[in-house]
Amino acid sequence: MTIMVMDGQGGRMGKSVVEQIRKRFPEDEILAIGTNSIATAAMLKAGADAGATGENPAIVGRADIIIGPMGIVIADSLMGEITPDMAVALGQSQAKKVLIPVNRCQHFVVGCQDLPLGDYVKLVVEQVEAIKRGDC
């Protein structure tokens, strides 16, 4: 299974996700797609198999599961790092999406708890496991 982890800014969230996905699913291919080179480098250092930076890798990247902050499917989010073309391509992808609700930058998911990043990463890993089992 191919899992794409996408992050921007400093890549802290993506780094944490890659580390935990790598531990739990060592057999899967992890692709790190950063909106900038700092984010990509952080995810590669965390154990991603391959990485790329910028708009085109996000648009043409193929994966079974896409993981990232909810802003990856919202144009101009992540402080402008997500282009409209990226948001459309990711949103239209046939991959299962596991989006982390980061309630900031004018985007809020009502009903979500404000949890520490580590708790969200744990929930991401549990959701990926459910997807791999075919539960969703």
Side-chain angles (χ1 to χ4, degrees), residues 107-122:
H107 301 108
F108 303 93
V109 179
V110 176
C112 288
Q113 300 174 356
D114 192 14
L115 299 175
L117 177 59
D119 291 349
Y120 278 130
V121 172
K122 181 180 176 194

Side-chain angles (χ1 to χ4, degrees), residues 56-127:
N56 202 55
I59 291 172
V60 301
R62 300 289 180 256
D64 301 299
I65 300 172
I66 298 171
I67 301 170
M70 71 173 187
I72 65 173
V73 294
I74 301 172
D76 299 323
S77 63
L78 275 68
M79 297 181 67
E81 293 183 2
I82 301 296
T83 68
D85 288 342
M86 291 166 79
V88 168
L90 293 165
Q92 290 180 344
S93 169
Q94 295 300 307
K96 302 274 186 179
K97 288 126 191 121
V98 181
L99 303 175
I100 303 167
V102 180
N103 290 323
R104 63 172 87 139
C105 299
Q106 301 173 348
H107 301 108
F108 303 93
V109 179
V110 176
C112 288
Q113 300 174 356
D114 192 14
L115 299 175
L117 177 59
D119 291 349
Y120 278 130
V121 172
K122 181 180 176 194
L123 292 171
V124 165
V125 173
E126 291 171 4
Q127 187 63 50

